[in-house]
Amino acid sequence: MTPRPRTPRIAIAPSGFKESLSAARVAEAIAAGVRRVVPDAELDLIPLVDGGEGTAEALALASGGRLVRATATGPVGDPVPTHFALLGDPGALTAVVEMAAVAGLSLVPPDRRHPGATTTYGVGELIRAALDAGARRVLVGCGDSGTSDGGAGALQALGARLTDRHGRELRPGGGALHELEHIDPAGLDPRLARTELLVACNPYNVLCGKRGVARVFGPQKGATPAEVELLSAGLERLAAVLALDVAPAFTPPGREPLDLRTAPGTGASGGLGAGLAAAGARLLPRYDVLLDGLDLDARLARADVVITAEGALDHQTVRGKIPAEVARRARDAGVPVLALAGTIGPGAQDVREVGVDAYSAILPAPMTLVEAIGRSGELLADATERAMRIMALGTRLAPLHPAHRPHPLAA
């Protein structure tokens, strides 16, 4: 008698869909699609964040902490409602400043997407607000930025003076950085010296060079080719001035100065990583920080199948995006991975090299971006159902293979 397969175990570990669904809502939509096909499946929902949208809320919930509402300067200079998190973990009070919540691309109106003008000033304001709340450890989550000012705005909000050769205060935005002559760090908030400032960033992102942040991400933020070159030149200038005027005061004796041009993570969030690193922040691989406490490896290893997802699957996915991180860990445990995406772009096939066994777009037919965003939860659930039915069909064919053993999805 052929034994009945046990209840299938499926781990659902997606990122959020930018400007559309949080990671938690993506996980719920995928779970709904799975249950249409395998209603008795044992599901483990593991919504993941990468430092971008939703990071502060996710970490507050995971730690029993809370969100603190605030108003700060948005990326185009207007006040915006925003927030930071105070975590519930024991020990020194830890705050999470999510740069996307105050300087993210979603806060830049489409007709004002000029990265030469947008600013991280609000990030510095939130760091100060976190210090005012008593935080002695501040984690800055990088991702989904709408800026390319190298953290210059954040440093200004924290008290530094950035001036041109005439001694005039530099105007906001990366487009002015090529005029930078001097940074006076004397006015930086003195509490920074007593605070552990950590930046959770993608180590693949560097400030300058051929893979510099302006060249890689500037066009996505609205920069023309000429503007990309201007931004690149400005960030080169910023790195040089930071290394002379700021970094020496914040580099511990005996430690080698960080290469602000090309060190891993310096290009995070339009170069925010470099600006904060010069002022003493430690740049850390984001998943080393953000996945701490989730027991992710063990949870993936217990699954029969892992489903991950993100808004766009393309050549950048393998460079530190959540589906690639999930796939690498699942591959180490010998667990197959399905990736779902809002769109499939050039280079998506590279995800197979890091452990994604199959991937699929969620759009069933051409539609406008506005419609796709509005229906993203529905489209994601439907796409998951289609994928699960295909997997179920495959398991029914498996008995034709001589080494077949009953699979949980073959029920």
Side-chain angles (χ1 to χ4, degrees), residues 201 309 320 349:
C201 54
Q349 68 277 3

Side-chain angles (χ1 to χ4, degrees), residues 52-341:
E53 293 176 3
T55 294
E57 181 179 12
L59 295 185
L61 287 171
S63 68
R66 62 189 176 93
L67 285 183
V68 179
R69 303 295 175 181
T71 299
T73 303
V76 297
D78 301 326
V80 297
T82 184
H83 58 264
F84 61 94
L86 293 175
L87 302 188
D89 297 330
L93 183 61
T94 298
V96 178
V97 170
E98 174 192 317
M99 82 85 59
V102 70
L105 187 62
S106 64
L107 297 175
V108 184
D111 61 346
R112 300 180 71 178
R113 292 193 171 176
H114 307 296
T118 50
T119 178
T120 55
Y121 197 90
V123 178
E125 291 178 315
L126 284 187
I127 293 174
R128 294 187 71 160
L131 297 176
D132 291 343
R136 288 299 171 262
R137 185 172 184 262
V138 178
L139 172 63
V140 179
C142 290
D144 305 330
S145 74
T147 57
S148 192
D149 73 349
L155 291 176
Q156 288 173 314
L158 288 167
R161 290 192 70 241
L162 281 71
T163 54
D164 63 16
R165 63 189 180 92
H166 301 292
R168 297 175 300 203
E169 194 79 22
L170 218 62
R171 67 183 186 277
L177 292 176
H178 68 285
E179 302 172 4
L180 178 64
E181 183 70 21
H182 177 58
I183 300 176
D184 181 359
L188 282 170
D189 194 314
R191 294 174 294 181
L192 290 173
R194 305 187 299 272
T195 303
E196 187 179 16
L197 187 58
L198 309 175
V199 180
C201 54
N202 186 342
Y204 287 100
N205 294 342
V206 298
L207 188 67
C208 303
K210 292 181 179 179
R211 297 292 304 171
V213 68
R215 291 190 169 90
V216 175
F217 295 106
Q220 297 178 12
K221 300 173 184 180
T224 65
E227 288 169 337
V228 165
E229 293 309 310
L230 180 67
L231 289 171
S232 296
L235 292 173
E236 290 274 4
R237 180 62 185 161
L238 176 66
V241 178
L242 284 172
L244 286 174
D245 294 349
V246 181
F250 291 91
T251 302
R255 180 183 296 178
E256 196 71 23
L258 187 70
D259 181 352
L260 296 173
R261 294 184 66 257
T262 60
T266 51
S269 288
L272 176 65
L276 294 181
R282 290 165 55 203
L283 305 184
L284 301 174
R286 54 188 173 182
Y287 298 122
D288 289 356
V289 180
L290 300 173
L291 302 184
D292 186 33
L294 288 178
D295 199 20
L296 181 60
D297 290 335
R299 292 168 74 176
L300 297 179
R302 286 194 293 267
D304 298 302
V305 175
V306 172
I307 302 177
T308 186
E310 72 169 334
L313 208 69
D314 55 27
H315 67 282
Q316 291 184 17
T317 301
V318 297
R319 297 180 62 82
K321 296 294 185 72
I322 281 176
E325 182 71 14
V326 169
R328 288 188 185 100
R329 293 169 181 249
R331 180 180 59 187
D332 289 345
V335 180
V337 176
L338 166 69
L340 300 172

